[in-house]
Amino acid sequence: MNSMLLADASAATAASDATAGPSANRERAKRLYFSLYDAPQSHLDEARAYVADQVAAVQAMPADLPSTLAALPAWVQECTEAVGAQYRDYLAARKNGAPRRYFSCRAHALYFIKAVAPTKLVDGAWLYGLLRHWDHPAYHELIKTYLEELGEGAPSKNHVTIYRKLLATHGCEGWENLDEHHFVQGAIQLALGHDADHFLPEVIGYNLGYEQLPLHLLITSYELNEFGIDPYYFTLHVTVDNAASGHAQKAVQALAGLMPRVGDREAFYRRVLDGYRLNELGASTTSVIAEFDLQAELVNIFAAKSSVGKNMHSDYCRVAGRSVNDWLTEPARIPDFLAALEKAGWIKRGEEVEHSRFWRLVHGEKAEMFGVFSAYEQQVLRDWITSKPDGSQLDGARSMTWRARQRTLDNLGQHADRSADFPERGLIRRHPRLESQDNELRLLEEQVAACGSKQEAMELLGGLMSPEIHHTAVGLMATRMYTRLFDA
């Protein structure tokens, strides 16, 4: 495994452990994440305490921000140029035959998509609480950033909608069961967003760090495309975060506009630095990539299914003298079960999956275990079967990249993404099964029309643009209406 990734993973783990606290609090971020998503108003005190503790944990960490506000634009430009140079080196190395830097197999790439889901599914949440300041010009750059994270109400551009579609396409369910460190960043983002006025300097600093273009975003996009996985969510962030006119530039402008003219500017900037450092906590892109182990992931999948599967198999089929039900009653013996399947010839490692009888049981519409394994779980099984003893993958036909497949569909006239139009009112009315949703949208229109002032309308719409709502039909419509009023 790449030594650089291991170093990054160790650093991220250490930072996460520093915030874990005693055993009673080891799931603190995960609990807070779902609490703020389900009932934020009931957990605001808990959220404020959590952010305060995370800030205390990062204050001793170094921060590479310049010491003066005037130096920030040049710093952003230098960082962008450095990332660009590193990416050019990466592309040159790949052209000369270097292996992928991040993903060892397709299952590895899908594991990454699943493992970062808690963060991606609250994308932009740290800015939510600033919507109430729509009439204050100093907040406009941050509000515009949030509106763009929400796709300004277009489902095809809403970042959370795009990511939810990506998860569903590849069967990456079950992200809710990930370990604590996967929820740290999402919990921080939600907590900041629901208490943005109290943590304004930290929100500004967090935003400044999050919106800088990282090298891993470029490499991730490149390698996902190679595996035929739609990289749009990631390439979209490459474009909208650009330093010339995108979120990176808006982040600097927002800090300049909100830095106090009267009072302790140095204390404000120190809090900005604290917010910037919050980006270092919990799981990161590189730590998530480094933690993947193909064998361990397959064992986890089998162990999770054993609670139901241990009662579902007939006793006539025996492996190494034991029934399948018997094997599955002891999740700790799953590695032994897999080894027994291989020894008995049910699985033939290092060969095409079609040579393995077990694969034929789980894959295909007429397979005896059809539907037991999700698309993601089948990919893990496929890559494990075709892996060689040294960990490399069986040489096979080069898979078509995502972009090449889209060009092929375009040439055949088969590419039509109707999601760009959903959920416009006209489309919804053509589908009777969505009548209740249509009624909800009509009610929202009536409520906005009945508002006595623009302030009242913006408050109503802003409440429907929270992290847990904005990607729904009513949330998307509220975003479109808010955006039009905001720009008016």
Side-chain angles (χ1 to χ4, degrees):
M1 192 173 290
N2 190 302
S3 59
M4 180 179 67
L5 288 183
L6 284 173
D8 288 342
S10 297
T13 301
S16 180
D17 289 345
T19 65
S23 58
N25 291 324
R26 283 180 184 161
E27 295 252 320
R28 185 184 182 191
K30 190 172 182 177
R31 288 198 308 272
L32 181 62
Y33 180 95
F34 289 112
S35 295
L36 290 176
Y37 204 86
D38 294 335
Q41 296 305 314
S42 301
H43 298 275
L44 295 183
D45 290 342
E46 182 184 352
R48 180 174 294 190
Y50 180 76
V51 172
D53 288 346
Q54 308 319 301
V55 168
V58 300
Q59 285 182 332
M61 291 182 179
D64 60 350
L65 284 179
S67 58
T68 65
L69 189 61
L72 270 177
W75 171 81
V76 171
Q77 186 62 34
E78 290 170 5
C79 291
T80 302
E81 291 176 358
V83 167
Q86 293 173 58
Y87 186 54
R88 287 196 301 273
D89 291 343
Y90 166 83
L91 294 176
R94 292 300 309 279
K95 186 177 181 179
N96 291 326
R100 285 182 294 271
R101 183 178 298 183
Y102 283 174
F103 304 125
S104 57
C105 58
R106 196 169 192 267
H108 193 175
L110 294 179
Y111 172 85
F112 160 73
I113 288 172
K114 176 180 175 179
V116 298
T119 303
K120 305 305 182 186
L121 292 176
V122 293
D123 204 357
W126 64 92
L127 296 172
Y128 163 63
L130 303 180
L131 290 178
R132 64 177 64 93
H133 300 294
W134 61 271
D135 58 344
H136 194 313
Y139 288 86
H140 280 192
E141 298 305 324
L142 295 178
I143 293 175
K144 287 177 183 177
T145 296
Y146 188 65
L147 294 177
E148 289 170 5
E149 297 283 347
L150 274 54
E152 296 182 335
S156 60
K157 294 288 190 268
N158 180 286
H159 294 187
V160 172
T161 299
I162 294 168
Y163 208 82
R164 286 164 64 92
K165 181 180 178 181
L166 184 63
L167 291 170
T169 297
H170 299 287
C172 294
E173 297 90 0
W175 59 268
E176 298 90 345
N177 299 319
L178 291 166
D179 292 337
E180 164 80 357
H181 66 287
H182 293 275
F183 292 88
V184 170
Q185 278 296 306
I188 289 172
Q189 293 180 14
L190 288 168
L192 289 174
H194 284 291
D195 205 2
D197 287 339
H198 181 78
F199 289 113
L200 179 61
E202 289 81 7
V203 168
I204 294 170
Y206 185 88
N207 183 71
L208 186 61
Y210 202 91
E211 299 295 358
Q212 301 308 311
L213 178 64
L215 177 63
H216 64 70
L217 191 62
L218 295 164
I219 296 176
T220 297
S221 302
Y222 188 90
E223 296 189 4
L224 289 175
N225 176 61
E226 287 186 304
F227 281 114
I229 300 170
D230 185 0
Y232 179 59
Y233 173 88
F234 301 93
T235 56
L236 178 62
H237 283 76
V238 173
T239 57
V240 301
D241 293 347
N242 76 85
S245 60
H247 294 178
Q249 184 193 57
K250 288 181 172 65
V252 174
Q253 293 172 339
L255 174 56
L258 290 167
M259 177 72 79
R261 269 54 178 177
V262 178
D264 194 339
R265 290 168 60 90
E266 292 184 1
F268 187 92
Y269 195 66
R270 284 195 297 270
R271 290 181 61 185
V272 169
L273 291 175
D274 289 339
Y276 179 83
R277 295 185 186 100
L278 289 176
N279 283 280
E280 301 301 317
L281 297 178
S284 67
T285 290
T286 51
S287 71
V288 163
I289 292 170
E291 74 187 17
F292 178 76
D293 181 280
L294 184 59
Q295 168 88 12
E297 184 66 3
L298 184 64
V299 168
N300 289 338
I301 289 170
F302 271 69
K305 294 185 181 301
S306 65
S307 61
V308 174
K310 66 184 179 183
N311 299 314
M312 297 297 171
H313 297 81
S314 301
D315 287 340
Y316 73 84
C317 180
R318 308 182 76 80
V319 179
R322 299 176 62 181
S323 69
V324 175
N325 284 344
D326 190 25
W327 277 110
L328 296 180
T329 58
E330 300 180 70
R333 297 289 305 276
I334 294 298
D336 297 331
F337 177 47
L338 292 172
L341 286 171
E342 186 177 354
K343 186 176 181 180
W346 284 70
I347 292 176
K348 296 183 178 182
R349 298 287 303 279
E351 298 184 22
E352 298 290 349
V353 288
E354 290 76 14
H355 299 168
S356 292
R357 182 181 177 186
F358 185 81
W359 174 259
R360 297 196 298 272
L361 289 175
V362 304
H363 181 76
E365 291 184 5
K366 295 184 178 181
E368 294 180 47
M369 296 173 62
F370 174 78
V372 172
F373 291 82
S374 70
Y376 166 69
E377 292 164 344
Q378 289 188 39
Q379 187 65 55
V380 172
L381 178 60
R382 173 189 285 274
D383 287 339
W384 181 78
I385 291 175
T386 58
S387 62
K388 299 177 182 180
D390 63 359
S392 63
Q393 289 292 308
L394 180 69
D395 292 332
R398 180 180 174 87
S399 61
M400 185 178 291
T401 66
W402 170 264
R403 293 188 180 93
R405 185 159 67 244
Q406 297 311 297
R407 287 195 296 271
T408 300
L409 291 175
D410 287 342
N411 292 336
L412 295 174
Q414 297 178 6
H415 184 61
D417 184 10
R418 294 183 177 88
S419 66
D421 298 321
F422 179 82
E424 296 292 345
R425 288 286 304 280
L427 180 63
I428 290 174
R429 289 189 178 121
R430 298 188 191 108
H431 297 273
R433 63 186 174 84
L434 295 177
E435 184 177 350
S436 62
Q437 189 179 79
D438 189 33
N439 290 337
E440 188 177 28
L441 300 184
R442 186 182 300 110
L443 178 61
L444 175 59
E445 288 179 329
E446 293 172 355
Q447 289 180 346
V448 172
C451 288
S453 65
K454 183 175 181 179
Q455 176 67 33
E456 185 180 347
M458 295 298 266
E459 289 178 1
L460 170 63
L461 295 170
L464 296 172
M465 295 164 61
S466 62
E468 71 276 11
I469 299 176
H470 70 70
H471 57 276
T472 66
V474 70
L476 290 164
M477 185 172 179
T479 304
R480 293 194 295 274
M481 298 174 76
Y482 182 103
T483 302
R484 287 196 291 269
L485 289 173
F486 180 75
D487 291 336

